[in-house]
Coordinates of all heavy atoms in Angstrom, one line a residue:
W1 N 75.8 88.7 90.6 CA 77.1 89.3 90.3 C 77.2 90.7 90.9 O 78.3 91.2 91.2 CB 77.3 89.4 88.8 CG 76.3 90.2 88.0 CD1 75.1 89.8 87.5 CD2 76.4 91.6 87.8 NE1 74.5 90.9 86.9 CE2 75.2 92.0 87.1 CE3 77.3 92.6 88.1 CZ2 75.0 93.3 86.7 CZ3 77.1 93.9 87.6 CH2 75.9 94.2 86.9
R2 N 76.1 91.4 91.1 CA 76.1 92.7 91.8 C 76.5 92.6 93.2 O 77.3 93.4 93.8 CB 74.8 93.4 91.7 CG 74.7 94.3 90.6 CD 73.5 95.1 90.6 NE 73.3 95.7 89.3 CZ 72.3 96.5 89.0 NH1 71.4 96.8 89.8 NH2 72.3 96.9 87.7
R3 N 76.0 91.6 93.9 CA 76.2 91.4 95.3 C 77.7 91.2 95.6 O 78.3 91.6 96.6 CB 75.4 90.3 95.9 CG 75.6 90.0 97.3 CD 74.7 89.0 97.9 NE 74.0 88.3 96.8 CZ 73.1 87.3 96.9 NH1 72.7 87.0 98.1 NH2 72.5 86.7 95.9
H4 N 78.4 90.4 94.7 CA 79.8 90.1 94.8 C 80.7 91.1 94.1 O 81.9 90.9 94.0 CB 80.1 88.7 94.4 CG 79.3 87.7 95.2 ND1 79.6 87.4 96.5 CD2 78.2 86.9 94.9 CE1 78.8 86.5 97.0 NE2 77.9 86.2 96.0
R5 N 80.1 92.1 93.4 CA 80.8 93.1 92.7 C 81.8 92.6 91.7 O 82.9 93.0 91.7 CB 81.4 94.1 93.7 CG 80.3 94.7 94.6 CD 80.9 95.7 95.6 NE 82.2 96.2 95.3 CZ 83.1 96.4 96.3 NH1 82.8 96.1 97.5 NH2 84.3 96.9 96.0
L6 N 81.4 91.6 90.9 CA 82.3 91.0 90.0 C 82.8 91.9 88.9 O 83.8 91.7 88.3 CB 81.6 89.8 89.4 CG 81.3 88.6 90.4 CD1 80.6 87.5 89.6 CD2 82.5 88.1 91.0
S7 N 81.9 92.9 88.5 CA 82.3 93.8 87.4 C 83.1 95.0 87.9 O 83.5 95.9 87.1 CB 81.1 94.2 86.6 OG 80.2 95.0 87.4
C8 N 83.2 95.2 89.2 CA 83.9 96.4 89.7 C 85.4 96.4 89.4 O 86.1 95.4 89.6 CB 83.7 96.5 91.2 SG 82.0 96.9 91.7
P9 N 85.9 97.6 89.0 CA 87.3 97.7 88.8 C 88.0 97.7 90.1 O 87.4 98.0 91.2 CB 87.5 99.0 88.1 CG 86.2 99.8 88.4 CD 85.2 98.8 88.6
T10 N 89.3 97.4 90.1 CA 90.1 97.5 91.3 C 90.3 98.9 91.8 O 90.2 99.8 91.0 CB 91.5 96.8 91.2 OG1 92.2 97.6 90.2 CG2 91.3 95.4 90.7
R11 N 90.7 99.1 93.0 CA 91.0 100.4 93.5 C 92.2 101.0 92.8 O 92.3 102.2 92.5 CB 91.3 100.3 95.0 CG 91.3 101.6 95.7 CD 91.1 101.4 97.2 NE 91.4 102.6 98.0 CZ 90.6 103.6 98.3 NH1 89.3 103.5 97.9 NH2 90.9 104.6 99.0
E12 N 93.1 100.1 92.4 CA 94.3 100.6 91.6 C 93.8 101.1 90.2 O 94.4 102.1 89.8 CB 95.2 99.4 91.4 CG 96.5 99.8 90.6 CD 97.4 98.6 90.5 OE1 97.7 97.9 91.4 OE2 97.9 98.4 89.3
Q13 N 92.9 100.5 89.6 CA 92.4 100.9 88.3 C 91.6 102.3 88.5 O 91.7 103.2 87.7 CB 91.4 99.9 87.7 CG 92.2 98.7 87.2 CD 91.2 97.6 86.8 OE1 90.1 97.4 87.4 NE2 91.6 96.8 85.9
L14 N 90.9 102.4 89.6 CA 90.2 103.7 89.9 C 91.3 104.8 90.1 O 91.1 105.9 89.6 CB 89.3 103.6 91.1 CG 88.1 102.7 90.9 CD1 87.4 102.5 92.3 CD2 87.1 103.4 90.0
G15 N 92.4 104.5 90.7 CA 93.4 105.5 90.9 C 94.1 105.8 89.6 O 94.4 107.0 89.3
S16 N 94.3 104.9 88.7 CA 94.8 105.1 87.4 C 93.9 106.0 86.6 O 94.3 106.8 85.8 CB 95.1 103.8 86.7 OG 96.1 103.1 87.3
H17 N 92.6 105.8 86.8 CA 91.6 106.6 86.1 C 91.7 108.1 86.6 O 91.7 109.0 85.8 CB 90.2 106.1 86.4 CG 89.1 107.1 86.1 ND1 88.7 107.3 84.8 CD2 88.3 107.8 86.9 CE1 87.7 108.2 84.8 NE2 87.4 108.5 86.1
L18 N 91.9 108.3 87.9 CA 92.1 109.6 88.4 C 93.3 110.3 87.8 O 93.3 111.5 87.6 CB 92.2 109.6 89.9 CG 90.9 109.6 90.7 CD1 91.2 109.5 92.2 CD2 90.0 110.8 90.4
L19 N 94.4 109.5 87.6 CA 95.6 110.1 87.1 C 95.6 110.2 85.6 O 96.5 110.8 85.0 CB 96.8 109.2 87.5 CG 97.1 109.1 89.0 CD1 98.2 108.1 89.3 CD2 97.5 110.5 89.5
G20 N 94.6 109.6 85.0 CA 94.5 109.7 83.5 C 95.4 108.8 82.7 O 95.9 109.2 81.7
V21 N 95.8 107.7 83.3 CA 96.8 106.8 82.6 C 96.2 105.5 82.2 O 97.0 104.6 81.7 CB 98.0 106.6 83.6 CG1 98.7 107.9 83.9 CG2 97.6 105.9 84.9
L22 N 94.9 105.3 82.2 CA 94.3 104.1 81.7 C 94.3 104.1 80.2 O 94.1 105.1 79.5 CB 92.9 103.9 82.2 CG 92.7 103.5 83.6 CD1 91.2 103.4 84.0 CD2 93.3 102.1 83.9
D23 N 94.4 102.9 79.6 CA 94.2 102.8 78.1 C 92.8 103.0 77.8 O 91.9 103.0 78.6 CB 94.8 101.5 77.6 CG 94.0 100.3 78.2 OD1 92.8 100.3 78.1 OD2 94.7 99.4 78.7
A24 N 92.5 103.3 76.5 CA 91.2 103.7 76.1 C 90.1 102.7 76.4 O 89.0 103.0 76.9 CB 91.2 103.9 74.6
E25 N 90.4 101.4 76.3 CA 89.4 100.3 76.6 C 89.0 100.3 78.0 O 87.8 100.3 78.4 CB 89.9 99.0 76.2 CG 89.9 98.7 74.7 CD 90.4 97.3 74.4 OE1 90.3 96.4 75.3 OE2 90.8 97.1 73.2
H26 N 90.0 100.4 78.9 CA 89.7 100.3 80.3 C 89.0 101.6 80.8 O 88.1 101.6 81.6 CB 91.0 100.1 81.1 CG 91.5 98.7 81.1 ND1 92.5 98.3 80.3 CD2 91.1 97.6 81.8 CE1 92.7 97.0 80.5 NE2 91.8 96.6 81.4
E27 N 89.4 102.7 80.2 CA 88.8 104.0 80.5 C 87.3 104.0 80.1 O 86.5 104.5 80.9 CB 89.5 105.2 79.8 CG 89.0 106.5 80.1 CD 89.3 106.9 81.6 OE1 90.3 106.5 82.1 OE2 88.4 107.6 82.2
D28 N 87.0 103.5 78.9 CA 85.6 103.4 78.5 C 84.8 102.5 79.4 O 83.7 102.9 79.8 CB 85.5 102.9 77.1 CG 86.0 103.8 76.0 OD1 86.1 105.0 76.3 OD2 86.3 103.4 74.9
F29 N 85.3 101.4 79.8 CA 84.6 100.5 80.7 C 84.4 101.2 82.1 O 83.3 101.1 82.7 CB 85.3 99.2 80.9 CG 84.7 98.4 82.0 CD1 83.5 97.7 81.8 CD2 85.3 98.3 83.3 CE1 82.9 97.0 82.8 CE2 84.7 97.6 84.3 CZ 83.5 96.9 84.1
L30 N 85.4 101.8 82.6 CA 85.3 102.4 83.9 C 84.3 103.6 83.9 O 83.5 103.7 84.8 CB 86.7 102.9 84.3 CG 86.8 103.1 85.8 CD1 88.0 102.3 86.4 CD2 87.0 104.6 86.1
R31 N 84.3 104.4 82.8 CA 83.4 105.5 82.7 C 81.9 104.9 82.6 O 81.0 105.4 83.3 CB 83.7 106.3 81.5 CG 82.9 107.6 81.5 CD 83.3 108.5 80.4 NE 84.7 108.9 80.5 CZ 85.6 108.7 79.5 NH1 85.3 108.1 78.4 NH2 86.9 109.1 79.7
F32 N 81.8 103.8 81.9 CA 80.5 103.1 81.8 C 80.0 102.6 83.2 O 78.9 102.9 83.6 CB 80.5 102.0 80.8 CG 79.3 101.1 80.8 CD1 78.2 101.5 80.1 CD2 79.3 99.9 81.5 CE1 77.0 100.7 80.1 CE2 78.1 99.1 81.5 CZ 77.0 99.5 80.8
H33 N 80.9 102.0 83.9 CA 80.6 101.4 85.2 C 80.2 102.5 86.2 O 79.3 102.4 87.0 CB 81.9 100.7 85.7 CG 81.6 99.9 87.0 ND1 80.9 98.8 87.0 CD2 82.0 100.2 88.2 CE1 80.9 98.3 88.3 NE2 81.5 99.2 89.0
L34 N 80.9 103.7 86.1 CA 80.6 104.8 87.1 C 79.4 105.6 86.7 O 78.6 106.0 87.5 CB 81.8 105.7 87.2 CG 83.1 105.1 87.8 CD1 84.3 106.0 87.6 CD2 82.8 104.8 89.3
E35 N 79.2 105.9 85.4 CA 78.2 106.8 84.9 C 76.9 106.1 84.6 O 75.8 106.6 84.8 CB 78.7 107.6 83.8 CG 79.9 108.5 84.2 CD 80.5 109.2 83.0 OE1 80.0 109.1 81.8 OE2 81.5 109.9 83.2
V36 N 77.0 104.9 83.9 CA 75.7 104.3 83.5 C 75.2 103.3 84.5 O 74.1 103.4 84.9 CB 76.0 103.6 82.1 CG1 74.7 102.8 81.7 CG2 76.4 104.6 81.0
V37 N 76.1 102.4 85.0 CA 75.7 101.5 86.0 C 75.6 102.2 87.3 O 74.7 101.8 88.1 CB 76.8 100.3 86.1 CG1 76.5 99.4 87.2 CG2 76.9 99.6 84.8
Q38 N 76.3 103.2 87.5 CA 76.3 104.0 88.7 C 76.5 103.2 90.0 O 75.8 103.2 91.0 CB 75.0 104.8 88.9 CG 74.8 105.8 87.8 CD 73.5 106.6 87.9 OE1 72.6 106.3 88.7 NE2 73.4 107.7 87.2
C39 N 77.6 102.4 90.0 CA 78.0 101.6 91.1 C 78.4 102.5 92.3 O 79.3 103.3 92.3 CB 79.2 100.7 90.7 SG 79.8 99.7 92.0
R40 N 77.6 102.3 93.3 CA 77.8 103.1 94.6 C 79.1 102.8 95.2 O 79.8 103.7 95.7 CB 76.7 102.8 95.6 CG 75.3 103.2 95.1 CD 74.3 102.8 96.1 NE 74.5 101.4 96.4 CZ 73.8 100.7 97.2 NH1 72.8 101.2 97.9 NH2 74.0 99.4 97.4
Y41 N 79.6 101.6 95.2 CA 80.8 101.2 95.8 C 82.0 101.9 95.1 O 82.9 102.4 95.7 CB 81.0 99.7 95.8 CG 79.9 99.0 96.6 CD1 78.9 98.3 95.9 CD2 79.9 99.0 98.0 CE1 77.9 97.7 96.6 CE2 78.9 98.4 98.7 CZ 77.9 97.7 98.0 OH 76.9 97.1 98.7
C42 N 82.0 101.8 93.8 CA 83.1 102.4 93.0 C 83.1 103.9 93.1 O 84.1 104.6 93.1 CB 83.1 101.9 91.6 SG 83.5 100.1 91.5
Q43 N 81.9 104.5 93.1 CA 81.8 106.0 93.2 C 82.3 106.4 94.5 O 83.0 107.4 94.6 CB 80.3 106.4 93.0 CG 79.8 106.3 91.6 CD 78.4 106.6 91.4 OE1 77.6 106.7 92.4 NE2 78.0 106.8 90.2
A44 N 82.0 105.7 95.6 CA 82.5 106.0 96.9 C 84.0 105.8 97.0 O 84.7 106.7 97.6 CB 81.8 105.2 98.0
S45 N 84.5 104.8 96.4 CA 85.9 104.5 96.4 C 86.7 105.6 95.6 O 87.7 106.1 96.0 CB 86.2 103.1 95.8 OG 87.6 102.8 95.9
L46 N 86.1 106.0 94.5 CA 86.7 107.0 93.6 C 86.7 108.3 94.4 O 87.7 109.1 94.3 CB 85.9 107.2 92.3 CG 86.5 108.1 91.3 CD1 87.9 107.6 90.8 CD2 85.6 108.3 90.1
Q47 N 85.7 108.7 95.1 CA 85.6 109.9 95.9 C 86.7 109.9 97.0 O 87.4 110.9 97.2 CB 84.2 110.1 96.5 CG 84.1 111.4 97.2 CD 84.3 112.6 96.4 OE1 83.7 112.7 95.3 NE2 85.1 113.5 96.8
D48 N 86.8 108.7 97.6 CA 87.8 108.6 98.7 C 89.2 108.8 98.1 O 90.1 109.5 98.7 CB 87.7 107.2 99.3 CG 88.8 107.0 100.4 OD1 88.8 107.8 101.3 OD2 89.5 106.0 100.4
L49 N 89.5 108.2 97.0 CA 90.8 108.3 96.3 C 91.0 109.8 95.9 O 92.1 110.3 96.1 CB 90.9 107.4 95.1 CG 91.1 106.0 95.4 CD1 90.9 105.2 94.1 CD2 92.5 105.7 96.0
S50 N 90.0 110.4 95.4 CA 90.1 111.8 95.0 C 90.4 112.7 96.2 O 91.3 113.6 96.2 CB 88.8 112.3 94.4 OG 88.9 113.6 94.0
D51 N 89.7 112.4 97.4 CA 90.0 113.2 98.6 C 91.4 113.0 99.1 O 92.1 113.9 99.5 CB 89.0 112.8 99.7 CG 87.6 113.2 99.4 OD1 87.4 114.0 98.4 OD2 86.6 112.7 100.0
Q52 N 91.9 111.8 99.0 CA 93.2 111.5 99.5 C 94.3 112.2 98.6 O 95.3 112.7 99.1 CB 93.5 110.0 99.5 CG 92.8 109.2 100.5 CD 93.1 107.7 100.5 OE1 93.9 107.3 99.7 NE2 92.4 106.9 101.3
H53 N 94.0 112.2 97.3 CA 94.9 112.8 96.3 C 94.9 114.3 96.6 O 96.0 114.9 96.6 CB 94.4 112.6 94.9 CG 95.3 113.2 93.9 ND1 96.5 112.7 93.6 CD2 95.1 114.2 93.0 CE1 97.1 113.4 92.6 NE2 96.2 114.3 92.3
S54 N 93.8 114.9 96.9 CA 93.7 116.4 97.2 C 94.5 116.7 98.4 O 95.2 117.7 98.5 CB 92.3 116.8 97.3 OG 91.6 116.7 96.1
A55 N 94.3 115.9 99.5 CA 95.0 116.1 100.7 C 96.5 115.9 100.6 O 97.3 116.7 101.1 CB 94.5 115.1 101.8
A56 N 96.9 115.0 99.8 CA 98.3 114.8 99.5 C 98.9 116.0 98.8 O 100.0 116.4 99.1 CB 98.6 113.5 98.7
E57 N 98.2 116.5 97.8 CA 98.7 117.7 97.0 C 98.8 118.9 98.0 O 99.8 119.6 97.9 CB 97.7 118.0 95.9 CG 97.9 117.1 94.7 CD 97.0 117.5 93.6 OE1 96.0 118.3 93.8 OE2 97.2 117.1 92.4
E58 N 97.8 119.1 98.8 CA 97.9 120.2 99.8 C 99.1 120.0 100.7 O 99.7 121.0 101.0 CB 96.6 120.2 100.6 CG 96.5 121.4 101.6 CD 96.5 122.7 100.9 OE1 95.9 122.8 99.8 OE2 97.0 123.7 101.5
E59 N 99.4 118.8 101.2 CA 100.5 118.6 102.0 C 101.8 118.9 101.3 O 102.7 119.6 101.9 CB 100.5 117.1 102.5 CG 101.6 116.8 103.5 CD 101.5 115.4 104.0 OE1 100.4 114.9 104.1 OE2 102.6 114.8 104.3
V60 N 101.9 118.6 100.1 CA 103.1 118.9 99.3 C 103.3 120.4 99.1 O 104.4 120.9 99.3 CB 103.0 118.2 97.9 CG1 104.1 118.8 96.9 CG2 103.1 116.7 98.0
I61 N 102.2 121.1 98.9 CA 102.2 122.6 98.8 C 102.7 123.2 100.1 O 103.6 124.1 100.1 CB 100.9 123.1 98.3 CG1 100.6 122.7 96.9 CG2 100.8 124.6 98.5 CD1 99.2 123.0 96.4
V62 N 102.2 122.7 101.2 CA 102.5 123.3 102.5 C 104.0 123.1 102.8 O 104.7 124.0 103.2 CB 101.7 122.7 103.6 CG1 102.2 123.0 105.0 CG2 100.2 123.2 103.5
K63 N 104.5 121.8 102.5 CA 105.9 121.5 102.7 C 106.8 122.4 101.8 O 107.9 122.9 102.2 CB 106.2 120.1 102.5 CG 105.7 119.2 103.6 CD 106.0 117.7 103.3 CE 105.5 116.8 104.4 NZ 105.8 115.4 104.2
R64 N 106.4 122.6 100.5 CA 107.2 123.3 99.6 C 107.3 124.8 100.1 O 108.4 125.4 100.1 CB 106.6 123.3 98.2 CG 107.4 123.9 97.2 CD 106.8 123.8 95.8 NE 106.6 122.5 95.4 CZ 105.5 122.0 94.8 NH1 104.5 122.9 94.4 NH2 105.4 120.8 94.5
R65 N 106.2 125.4 100.5 CA 106.2 126.7 101.0 C 107.1 126.9 102.2 O 107.8 127.9 102.4 CB 104.7 127.2 101.3 CG 103.9 127.5 100.2 CD 102.5 128.0 100.6 NE 101.7 128.2 99.4 CZ 100.4 128.2 99.4 NH1 99.7 128.0 100.6 NH2 99.7 128.4 98.3
S66 N 107.0 125.9 103.1 CA 107.8 125.9 104.3 C 109.3 125.9 103.9 O 110.1 126.7 104.5 CB 107.5 124.7 105.2 OG 108.3 124.7 106.3
R67 N 109.7 125.0 103.0 CA 111.1 125.0 102.5 C 111.5 126.3 101.9 O 112.6 126.8 102.2 CB 111.3 123.9 101.5 CG 111.4 122.5 102.2 CD 112.0 121.5 101.2 NE 111.5 121.6 99.9 CZ 110.5 120.8 99.3 NH1 110.0 119.9 100.0 NH2 110.2 121.0 98.1
Y68 N 110.7 126.9 101.1 CA 111.0 128.2 100.5 C 111.2 129.3 101.5 O 112.1 130.1 101.5 CB 109.9 128.6 99.5 CG 109.9 127.8 98.2 CD1 108.7 127.7 97.5 CD2 111.0 127.1 97.7 CE1 108.6 127.0 96.3 CE2 110.9 126.4 96.6 CZ 109.7 126.3 95.9 OH 109.6 125.6 94.7
F69 N 110.3 129.3 102.5 CA 110.4 130.3 103.5 C 111.7 130.1 104.3 O 112.4 131.1 104.6 CB 109.2 130.2 104.5 CG 109.3 131.2 105.6 CD1 109.0 132.5 105.4 CD2 109.6 130.7 106.9 CE1 109.1 133.4 106.5 CE2 109.7 131.6 107.9 CZ 109.4 133.0 107.7
Q70 N 112.0 128.9 104.7 CA 113.2 128.6 105.5 C 114.4 129.0 104.7 O 115.3 129.6 105.3 CB 113.2 127.1 105.9 CG 112.2 126.8 106.9 CD 112.2 125.3 107.2 OE1 112.8 124.5 106.5 NE2 111.3 124.8 108.1
S71 N 114.5 128.7 103.4 CA 115.7 129.0 102.7 C 115.8 130.5 102.5 O 116.8 131.1 102.5 CB 115.7 128.3 101.3 OG 114.6 128.8 100.5
S72 N 114.6 131.2 102.3 CA 114.6 132.7 102.1 C 114.9 133.4 103.4 O 115.6 134.4 103.5 CB 113.3 133.1 101.6 OG 113.0 132.6 100.3
A73 N 114.4 132.9 104.5 CA 114.6 133.5 105.8 C 116.1 133.5 106.2 O 116.5 134.5 106.8 CB 113.8 132.7 106.9
G74 N 116.8 132.5 105.8 CA 118.2 132.5 106.1 C 119.0 133.6 105.4 O 119.9 134.2 106.0
Y75 N 118.6 133.8 104.2 CA 119.2 134.9 103.4 C 118.8 136.3 103.9 O 119.7 137.2 104.0 CB 118.8 134.8 101.9 CG 119.5 133.7 101.2 CD1 118.7 132.6 100.7 CD2 120.9 133.6 101.0 CE1 119.3 131.6 100.0 CE2 121.5 132.5 100.4 CZ 120.7 131.5 99.9 OH 121.3 130.5 99.2
L76 N 117.6 136.4 104.3 CA 117.1 137.8 104.8 C 117.7 138.1 106.1 O 118.0 139.3 106.4 CB 115.6 137.8 104.8 CG 114.9 137.7 103.4 CD1 113.4 137.6 103.6 CD2 115.3 138.9 102.5
S77 N 117.8 137.1 107.0 CA 118.3 137.4 108.4 C 119.8 137.7 108.4 O 120.3 138.4 109.3 CB 117.9 136.3 109.4 OG 118.6 135.1 109.0
G78 N 120.5 137.1 107.5 CA 122.0 137.3 107.5 C 122.4 138.6 106.9 O 123.6 139.0 107.0
K79 N 121.6 139.3 106.3 CA 122.0 140.5 105.5 C 121.5 141.8 106.2 O 120.7 142.0 106.9 CB 121.5 140.5 104.1 CG 122.3 139.4 103.4 CD 121.9 139.4 101.9 CE 122.7 138.3 101.2 NZ 122.4 138.2 99.8

């Protein structure tokens, strides 16, 4: 069962875990799977999802700052 990773949660479930939207039963199983079983595949997948989430948040921040600057620059240059 280990070789075929039958007990591994899906990548979608790992993403839901990161967002904190899993129900209590699934959250308990996932935490057990990651912390007690220490599944390397799921830990790597979770880290990848976490990195992607961080990169996406950073991109949103940069875009937001750019929009604020552009909207403010128009007001400042016209006056």
